[in-house]
Amino acid sequence: MESKSEKLDYKSLWTSFIGGLTIGLKRQKAWRIQLITWLLADAIRIAVMAVLLSLAAKSGDLQASNIVMYYSLLIILVRLTTDFTYENLSREIVFGAFSNYLLRPGHYLAFGLGESLSARIYGLFITIPFIIGIAILYQLGYADFIEFSWQNIVIGALFMPIAFLINFIRGNTYALVAFHVKQIFGLTALYRNLIMILGGEFLPLQIFPTVFFVATTILPFRYGISFPLEVFMGWLTVNEIIIGGIFAILWLFIFILMYIWLYKKSVLKFEAEGL
Amino acid sequence: MKSPIYYIKVWRKLFLMSLKRSRSYKTELVSRLIRALTIILLQILMAQSLFSMTDEIAGWTRPQYYLLMGTYSLVMYISWGFFAVNLFRLNEKISKGELDYSLTKPTGNYFELVFGEFFIDDMIPGLGGLVMVLLFIFTQPVTLVGSLFYVISLLIGIVIWLSISTIFATVAFHNFKLKSLDLLPSLSQLGNVPSNAWGKWEIVTKVLFPVAFITVLPAQTLWRGLDINTLLYSFVIMLVFYTLSRILWTISIRKYESGG
């Protein structure tokens, strides 16, 4: 008889995914009032960056309105592609609650994917005011450094699911470190900071020194947020989009393989003793 | 009503417990130190990128802006160590029914819920800020008196930030599903921008949401020199906001109903 670990039960995986999505949506609905806070927090962040960056721009080309547009687009992408399931997962591994997932049918990753997608669905509500804001600014002509075209929008939209999957698989691969290192919370904070810096969530990667920018084109973080954004903005040539796309898909496969290998090594070490 | 000495003694025990915890969790300590280094590098990278485009931001030169960033880091991470983590956990305590136990402690609900634990690990990333401030003090013409008033302004700023955080946290007693404290990291970013940069909106950063007194004023005290009127005004703001936060806390905690 084949063991559960050897045979991939697609029906169980699908059930896990739907379970995660359903539970996630119900949880998001119960906490929906929190959307107001997140919306305000994002709006304030845009205002701060708009003032700071427009003060710094000597030539005056970098107008506050352009920065508002850039960060509005960034926030839309962050809300739709960023994943935080790794934080809960690492905590559950450390505190011994991971055994619940081992007892369930299917796979915890499918469940987590459903949960994460439920958060993206609710994230859509936050993006609506920013989409309206972008449309208004674009109509008023405040899009000097953005070259919107339907081709860029379609290609950018195609890279968004890839960006989400990169963030999801990368994060869950990182979470497996908790099987080996129980004191994970400081590392998780460091990991979160690295994603923000190297992914272009904090400042556009283009304004950093060239060496730094070149490094980010090789590392996987850019493909989780900044790359789809650059495609949307029309900042990349066709060749750059193709090369970036190859890197994105390559990193996705690397993370999938890393996850499979690390999970097999890690789950054997799991002892539900908690901290 | 217990004396301040009592609370100092209690807090000293909390501090020692935090140190013991740090010794037990050495890996956490190391990763926080690495994170402190990353944060310094990020701040340097950000400042260098901004100043590659200009020589000054709202009249602040590069060393002065580093001082502002360092002051911001110091205030924020000291806050995380002393009270911010405790306040962030308030919603969770209420939703899990763990608040009742905290309300029975002899230290009183305010001390227990705001200062009940000390997190030395969360203060460690503030080392980067301290380095930036010290670099400014040792490389720029700064007087001893200026440094002293910098420390006083910083303490005033921390109490103002405590008051603002507490005001936001009291929302949890009315609706624990609304994590209003999630707004604070974004609002605190206002402290990274010189207050005069806001133009006619500067009044917001000095009255309604006095973040100017948390970071900008202490930094200005160090490089511009002491403006006694501004210092006194910040002290008044501190008293007003602290009093308001305590009143709101008292009113709000009365609305709390245990689910257990």
Side-chain angles (χ1 to χ4, degrees):
Chain A
M1 183 175 152
E2 286 178 276
S3 68
K4 185 180 162 193
S5 61
E6 288 167 8
K7 186 181 174 184
L8 205 58
D9 184 353
Y10 292 105
K11 190 178 173 190
S12 289
L13 283 177
W14 177 250
T15 310
S16 296
F17 170 74
I18 295 297
L21 185 65
T22 312
I23 290 170
L25 284 170
K26 284 185 179 164
R27 189 179 297 136
Q28 294 292 331
K29 190 183 170 192
W31 292 81
R32 62 191 180 280
I33 195 168
Q34 190 59 8
L35 291 174
I36 302 168
T37 315
W38 292 335
L39 182 61
L40 284 171
D42 287 342
I44 291 165
R45 196 179 145 213
I46 290 174
V48 169
M49 295 313 292
V51 168
L52 203 55
L53 286 174
S54 58
L55 280 173
K58 247 186 204 164
S59 61
D61 285 346
L62 204 60
Q63 298 289 330
S65 52
N66 283 335
I67 299 163
V68 167
M69 280 199 74
Y70 173 82
Y71 276 97
S72 298
L73 268 170
L74 177 69
I75 278 162
I76 292 167
L77 269 160
V78 165
R79 288 289 169 198
L80 296 179
T81 61
T82 307
D83 172 70
F84 292 104
T85 53
Y86 65 89
E87 293 200 14
N88 276 342
L89 180 64
S90 53
R91 197 176 297 127
E92 283 171 350
I93 293 170
V94 162
F95 289 114
F98 184 74
S99 43
N100 293 334
Y101 292 111
L102 294 174
L103 295 170
R104 287 181 196 162
H107 196 279
Y108 79 91
L109 208 60
F111 186 88
L113 185 64
E115 272 193 315
S116 191
L117 272 177
S118 70
R120 301 308 119 231
I121 291 168
Y122 266 81
L124 271 172
F125 290 107
I126 300 176
T127 64
I128 292 168
F130 295 106
I131 292 171
I132 294 169
I134 289 168
I136 292 171
L137 285 172
Y138 188 71
Q139 287 298 320
L140 292 173
Y142 292 115
D144 305 343
F145 69 109
I146 299 174
E147 291 179 33
F148 277 133
S149 67
W150 69 265
Q151 294 97 327
N152 289 340
I153 291 170
V154 167
I155 296 169
L158 284 173
F159 279 114
M160 277 176 63
I162 298 174
F164 167 71
L165 285 172
I166 287 174
N167 290 330
F168 180 76
I169 302 288
R170 184 192 61 214
N172 280 279
T173 307
Y174 161 77
L176 297 176
V177 171
F179 283 111
H180 305 273
V181 177
K182 296 289 185 185
Q183 297 169 35
I184 196 77
F185 304 111
L187 273 174
T188 302
L190 178 62
Y191 173 74
R192 204 181 316 119
N193 284 150
L194 283 173
I195 293 171
M196 284 184 73
I197 301 162
L198 299 173
E201 195 180 328
F202 192 63
L203 284 174
L205 296 176
Q206 286 75 8
I207 74 168
F208 286 124
T210 311
V211 169
F212 183 87
F213 179 69
V214 168
T216 60
T217 57
I218 300 165
L219 295 171
F221 304 98
R222 175 179 173 234
Y223 304 99
I225 302 168
S226 183
F227 180 69
L229 181 63
E230 292 166 38
V231 172
F232 275 125
M233 309 268 271
W235 285 356
L236 302 176
T237 62
V238 173
N239 284 343
E240 285 169 344
I241 292 174
I242 292 170
I243 292 168
I246 291 169
F247 265 107
I249 292 168
L250 194 62
W251 274 113
L252 180 60
F253 275 113
I254 289 172
F255 282 126
I256 290 172
L257 291 172
M258 269 177 70
Y259 173 83
I260 293 169
W261 176 79
L262 196 57
Y263 179 73
K264 280 183 184 164
K265 295 273 179 207
S266 303
V267 76
L268 294 171
K269 286 178 77 71
F270 178 63
E271 292 171 356
E273 85 281 40
L275 255 184
Chain B
M1 179 79 176
K2 295 189 168 49
S3 71
I5 303 290
Y6 168 82
Y7 287 106
I8 291 170
K9 283 182 181 173
V10 169
W11 192 84
R12 186 174 161 269
K13 287 216 183 298
L14 294 171
F15 175 72
L16 290 171
M17 274 165 56
S18 180
L19 281 181
K20 270 189 194 170
R21 203 166 52 226
S22 293
R23 276 209 302 271
S24 304
Y25 298 110
K26 292 189 180 67
T27 310
E28 279 288 335
L29 199 63
V30 168
S31 54
R32 302 273 180 182
L33 282 167
I34 295 171
R35 185 167 169 244
L37 193 63
T38 312
I39 288 170
I40 298 175
L41 290 172
L42 167 67
Q43 286 175 324
I44 292 170
L45 203 58
M46 178 177 159
Q48 293 295 96
S49 302
L50 289 173
F51 281 95
S52 68
M53 295 188 274
T54 185
D55 296 324
E56 58 174 42
I57 293 175
W60 290 58
T61 62
R62 192 191 301 240
Q64 290 160 359
Y65 191 74
Y66 271 117
L67 173 65
L68 180 65
M69 284 200 305
T71 305
Y72 172 84
S73 277
L74 264 182
V75 171
M76 289 304 131
Y77 288 108
I78 287 173
S79 307
W80 279 111
F82 278 84
F83 55 83
V85 179
N86 293 318
L87 289 173
F88 264 89
R89 287 182 178 179
L90 197 55
N91 288 74
E92 193 183 339
K93 278 189 171 174
I94 294 172
S95 67
K96 288 183 178 176
E98 292 168 359
L99 195 71
D100 302 5
Y101 176 67
S102 302
L103 296 177
T104 60
K105 294 276 182 83
T107 49
N109 60 72
Y110 182 78
F111 184 89
E112 175 61 24
L113 293 172
V114 179
F115 300 106
E117 270 190 82
F118 177 68
F119 299 90
I120 197 164
D121 288 348
D122 286 284
M123 275 181 68
I124 288 170
L127 283 174
L130 183 64
V131 165
M132 285 191 202
V133 171
L134 289 173
L135 268 173
F136 185 90
I137 289 173
F138 290 123
T139 58
Q140 304 292 318
V142 170
T143 63
L144 191 61
V145 172
S147 304
L148 179 64
F149 280 108
Y150 172 78
V151 171
I152 293 170
S153 307
L154 202 67
L155 288 171
I156 291 172
I158 290 170
V159 176
I160 292 174
W161 188 242
L162 163 66
S163 309
I164 291 170
S165 302
T166 309
I167 289 168
F168 274 77
T170 56
V171 173
F173 294 118
H174 301 272
N175 185 347
F176 70 89
K177 289 184 182 176
L178 186 58
K179 295 183 190 174
S180 52
L181 281 166
D182 283 356
L183 265 176
L184 284 186
S186 291
L187 283 169
S188 73
Q189 287 290 325
L190 295 171
N192 254 332
V193 181
S195 52
N196 55 317
W198 297 101
K200 60 183 178 186
W201 296 99
E202 189 182 353
I203 193 89
V204 172
T205 67
K206 286 187 171 173
V207 177
L208 191 67
F209 188 75
V211 68
F213 297 107
I214 296 166
T215 52
V216 175
L217 173 70
Q220 274 181 338
T221 304
L222 202 54
W223 65 261
R224 197 190 278 179
L226 175 67
D227 177 354
I228 197 77
N229 289 333
T230 310
L231 190 66
L232 285 172
Y233 179 64
S234 70
F235 186 73
V236 168
I237 289 282
M238 179 194 79
L239 287 176
V240 166
F241 270 78
Y242 183 72
T243 308
L244 182 65
S245 70
R246 290 304 300 263
I247 291 170
L248 277 172
W249 181 274
T250 308
I251 292 170
S252 300
I253 204 162
R254 283 182 191 155
K255 289 199 176 285
Y256 168 71
E257 284 178 4
S258 170

